[in-house]
Amino acid sequence: MRLDKFICKSTDLSRAEARRAIAAGEARVNGEVITHEAAQVHENNHITLAGQRLVPRPFRYLMMHKPAGTLCSNVDGVYPSLFRWLHIDKPDELHIVGRLDADTTGLVLLTDDGRWSFNITRPEQHCAKVYRVTLRDPLAEHVAPRFAQGLLLQGETRPTLPARVEPAGPREALLTITEGRFHQVKRMFAAVGNRVESLHREQVGNVRLDLPPGQWRSLTSDEVAGV
Ligand code: URA
């Protein structure tokens, strides 16, 4: 982690204040004064600021029920950022693990632990994401075997990893995928001649959404460990 980020994670200083303190020679790493704000440090290093030993706050892991018409982004855009619903200290330290489209609702995970989010999002991890999909047309019988086999999405050369789909109502389906390609669910149904009318993420790994829209909570240690 960068030294300026480490200082922010261990104190109430903003990034700009941390950089000023570093430039002023107040930061030491293992006894050596470091004036380069981007110097890489490790939490096992002995890091002090103005003589005080710094200990980073524990990582945070949250779930949120993303309402429709919100952006999975740290800043507002065409729609408001879902961070508006996140009344928490230092929200800018958090990032979103696996974004959803503006019109998609459901489970969003947030953290400041980059290693944890990397593990969830890399396809080799095969972390299952479960989506409840409302379709324009009923789920055709030929779709489940095609999704199970993997199919080529428009403009791509690598087929999708095997996915499971089952009917959940007259025009509703439950889809489980282990990747997170751009607009993947909508493009998968488009590739088999159907259309997604609405999309809701219910589960990521063993973490199941259990909150009303706009609400958030910390994950339990079991959820963090098992995702
Ligand atoms: N797939 C999509 O097409 N959209 C999402 O928001 C998530 C997965």
Side-chain angles (χ1 to χ4, degrees), residues 59-93:
F59 286 127
R60 293 183 290 178
Y61 307 92
L62 315 178
M63 74 152 70
M64 183 176 210
H65 187 155
K66 176 187 177 296
T70 55
L71 285 186
C72 273
S73 156
N74 290 57
V75 290
D76 291 345
V78 178
Y79 297 100
S81 155
L82 59 74
F83 277 80
R84 282 199 188 193
W85 280 260
L86 194 64
H87 303 291
I88 194 171
D89 197 31
K90 297 207 170 208
D92 47 312
E93 286 186 0

Side-chain angles (χ1 to χ4, degrees), residues 100-101 104 131 183-186 199:
L100 296 176
D101 298 336
T104 302
Y131 291 89
H183 295 325
Q184 178 160 349
V185 176
K186 292 171 185 166
L199 187 56

